[in-house]
């Protein structure tokens, strides 16, 4: 079911990369695993059993998200049970990373999207007014003199944020940076994505006001989400390179 969702819904298509990237992380840690002594621990059975219980509860309640959520947890419990605590701790990040492959439940996704729509609309309305554009905001609808623009669900940037988080966390984890620098980059991902999405909507508002609504039918509008993601990821790479060249990192 989850593979079909990745394949049929372009917004979640990045999910197909997550299991592959999890395996890449495991492969890059292969020397670490070679030094671990196999020591099966029965305590892992508790985690494994809880994961199975979640899966069965998801089936009984016909809740796909709970079924999918149980998989990494069950896998971690299995590693703990068969190979011991040290192996489970070393597997924690690559297995935990696989949670990015799971689409959010509709109710959570819509709640996040609604808040992002309102935030984008509020900020764009204020900035556009400061730039001399007469705009009146009604929830997430921006009324201009000749046109009204709806900050729709697809324009909220939610999917761009999810994709950036999934791939940005992997990219940052693989960098040769100290942990505080990695945490800084992880914390930067969401503000970066939100900021670039606000800029994208602001550009559409300004162009619509000064030169007409042709931009709404342009390739820029339809592909702007992709541009946003590429810009955000490029900015992440740029900032990470600056951190790598910092004296503190060179010293380490």
């Amino acid at each position: 079911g989850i593979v079909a969702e990745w394949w049929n819904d372009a917004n979640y298509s990045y999910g197909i990369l997550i299991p592959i990237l999890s395996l890449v992380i495991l492969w890059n840690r292969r020397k670490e695993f070679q030094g671990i002594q196999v020591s099966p621990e029965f305590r892992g059975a508790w985690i494994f059993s809880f994961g199975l219980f979640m899966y069965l509860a998801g089936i009984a309640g016909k809740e796909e998200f709970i079924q999918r959520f149980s998989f990494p947890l069950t896998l971690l419990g299995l590693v703990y049970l068969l190979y011991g605590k040290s192996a489970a701790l070393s597997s924690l990040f690559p297995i935990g990373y696989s949670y990015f492959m799971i689409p959010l439940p509709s109710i959570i996704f819509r709640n996040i999207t609604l808040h992002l729509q309102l935030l984008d609309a509020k900020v764009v309305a204020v900035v556009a007014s400061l730039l001399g554009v007469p705009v009146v905001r009604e929830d997430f609808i921006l009324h201009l003199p000749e046109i009204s623009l709806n900050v729709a669900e697809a324009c909220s940037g939610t999917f761009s944020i999810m994709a950036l988080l999934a791939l940005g966390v992997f990219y940052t984890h693989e960098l040769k940076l100290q942990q505080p620098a990695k945490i800084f980059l992880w914390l930067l991902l969401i503000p970066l994505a939100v900021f670039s999405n606000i800029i994208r909507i602001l550009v559409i508002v300004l162009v619509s006001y000064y030169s007409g609504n042709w931009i709404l039918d342009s390739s820029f509008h339809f592909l702007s989400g992709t541009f946003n993601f590429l810009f955000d990821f490029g900015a992440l790479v740029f900032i990470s390179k600056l951190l790598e060249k910092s004296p503190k990192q060179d010293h380490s």
Side-chain angles (χ1 to χ4, degrees):
I2 196 173
V3 173
E5 198 162 347
W6 296 337
W7 188 261
N8 296 320
D9 189 340
N11 293 310
Y12 288 116
S13 58
Y14 66 87
I16 200 169
L17 294 174
I18 305 303
I20 298 172
L21 297 180
S22 293
L23 291 174
V24 169
I25 297 172
L26 283 169
W27 175 255
N28 291 340
R29 292 187 172 188
R30 61 191 182 279
K31 291 183 178 179
E32 179 181 337
F33 283 101
Q34 289 173 357
I36 294 176
Q37 183 177 2
V38 176
S39 178
E41 293 191 36
F42 184 75
R43 283 178 292 185
W46 292 104
I47 301 175
F48 179 72
S49 300
F50 183 69
L52 289 180
F53 172 77
M54 285 184 63
Y55 178 71
L56 295 174
I59 292 177
K62 297 182 179 179
E63 178 52 63
E64 284 188 336
F65 178 75
I66 294 179
Q67 295 175 45
R68 295 168 178 177
F69 192 88
S70 70
F71 174 69
L73 186 63
T74 307
L75 184 58
L76 181 65
L78 187 61
V79 172
Y80 196 167
L81 175 64
L82 298 179
Y83 297 98
K85 183 179 179 180
S86 297
L89 289 175
S90 296
S91 305
L92 186 60
F93 183 84
I95 292 178
Y97 177 73
S98 64
Y99 274 113
F100 282 113
M101 72 182 181
I102 304 174
L104 291 174
S106 297
I107 187 170
I108 296 177
F109 173 81
R110 289 174 182 170
N111 191 38
I112 294 173
T113 300
L114 178 61
H115 282 83
L116 286 173
Q117 285 176 273
L118 291 172
L119 175 65
D120 293 345
K122 288 178 180 178
V123 175
V124 170
V126 171
V127 176
S129 297
L130 293 174
L131 295 175
V133 177
V135 56
V136 175
R137 182 183 68 86
E138 182 182 357
D139 291 331
F140 36 78
I141 298 176
L142 303 174
H143 298 287
L144 304 178
E146 301 294 333
I147 188 175
S148 293
L149 301 175
N150 180 20
V151 182
E153 184 176 287
C155 301
S156 66
T158 309
F159 288 116
S160 295
I161 290 174
M162 291 167 60
L164 182 66
L165 277 174
L167 301 182
V169 166
F170 169 79
Y171 169 77
T172 304
H173 178 266
E174 295 302 294
L175 293 174
K176 298 185 183 300
L177 289 173
Q178 294 180 351
Q179 196 62 28
K182 292 184 178 182
I183 293 174
F184 169 74
L185 290 173
W186 287 339
L187 295 176
L188 193 64
L189 290 173
I190 292 179
L192 182 63
V194 172
F195 174 76
S196 65
N197 195 58
I198 288 173
I199 296 298
R200 176 179 70 91
I201 298 172
L202 180 62
V203 168
I204 293 174
V205 168
L206 294 176
V207 172
S208 297
Y209 176 69
Y210 286 110
S211 63
N213 61 356
W214 59 268
I215 193 172
L216 299 179
D217 297 319
S218 67
S219 298
F220 171 79
H221 185 220
F222 292 112
L223 297 176
S224 55
T226 302
F227 294 148
N228 255 32
F229 172 79
L230 293 175
F231 171 82
D232 294 337
F233 199 82
L236 177 66
V237 172
F238 178 74
I239 296 171
S240 67
K241 295 302 180 184
L242 292 179
L243 290 174
E244 285 181 336
K245 293 179 180 179
S246 66
K248 190 173 183 179
Q249 293 295 332
D250 291 339
H251 177 72
S252 63

